[in-house]
Amino acid sequence: MKQYQFSYKLWGHRNHPKVFFLHGFLGSWADFKTIIEILDDRFCCLAVDLPGHGQTKILETSPNDGINETAESLIALLKYLDFTPCHLIGYSMGGRLALYLACHFPKQFKSFILTNPR
């Protein structure tokens, strides 16, 4: 399994409903900054730089690297941060990953929203 050092930002109060944001290709957590600033008084928001983007570092690779390894690493991060169950929002490439997460780890999410560029 690939090992990552995820770069992420956390906003809002931990006792509010949790929302997890996954950005699109060539993006970063900052893509959601505007919407998070609107939501952070009512929600606890987590946005992460996906592997190969932003400040997330790939520490170790294996021949089996793929979406399932990325998904398992994100689930491990969510558990480490005590951020489950949460609502999941994925944009473009992050939407594909969000769909994979929702299908393979449904108990970790209350709902999910997939969005795509215009």
Side-chain angles (χ1 to χ4, degrees):
M1 183 167 97
K2 234 178 200 180
Q3 299 295 320
Y4 303 109
Q5 182 179 356
F6 284 106
S7 173
Y8 60 88
K9 299 293 180 191
L10 191 59
W11 294 264
H13 302 283
R14 298 284 290 177
N15 60 338
H16 288 164
K18 298 173 178 88
V19 182
F20 183 38
F21 294 88
L22 299 174
H23 64 78
F25 183 65
L26 299 179
S28 74
W29 66 262
D31 293 350
F32 293 106
K33 189 175 183 215
T34 301
I35 189 70
I36 289 171
E37 288 174 346
I38 294 168
L39 298 175
D40 72 356
D41 62 334
R42 295 168 298 189
F43 295 90
C44 185
C45 300
L46 172 65
V48 64
D49 286 342
L50 293 172
H53 299 79
Q55 300 299 311
T56 288
K57 295 181 180 147
I58 300 171
L59 304 175
E60 188 178 314
T61 62
S62 75
N64 298 324
D65 291 339
I67 193 169
N68 56 323
E69 285 80 13
T70 301
E72 288 175 8
S73 295
L74 287 170
I75 293 298
L77 175 67
L78 292 173
K79 289 180 179 179
Y80 170 77
L81 296 173
D82 191 24
F83 210 78
T84 60
C86 61
H87 302 280
L88 177 60
I89 298 176
Y91 169 75
S92 189
M93 176 192 73
R96 296 179 93 189
L97 182 54
L99 181 58
Y100 184 93
L101 287 164
C103 289
H104 289 87
F105 303 94
K107 292 182 180 176
Q108 306 302 320
F109 305 103
K110 291 184 172 189
S111 68
F112 68 99
I113 297 172
L114 308 177
T115 181
N116 221 357
R118 293 181 201 192

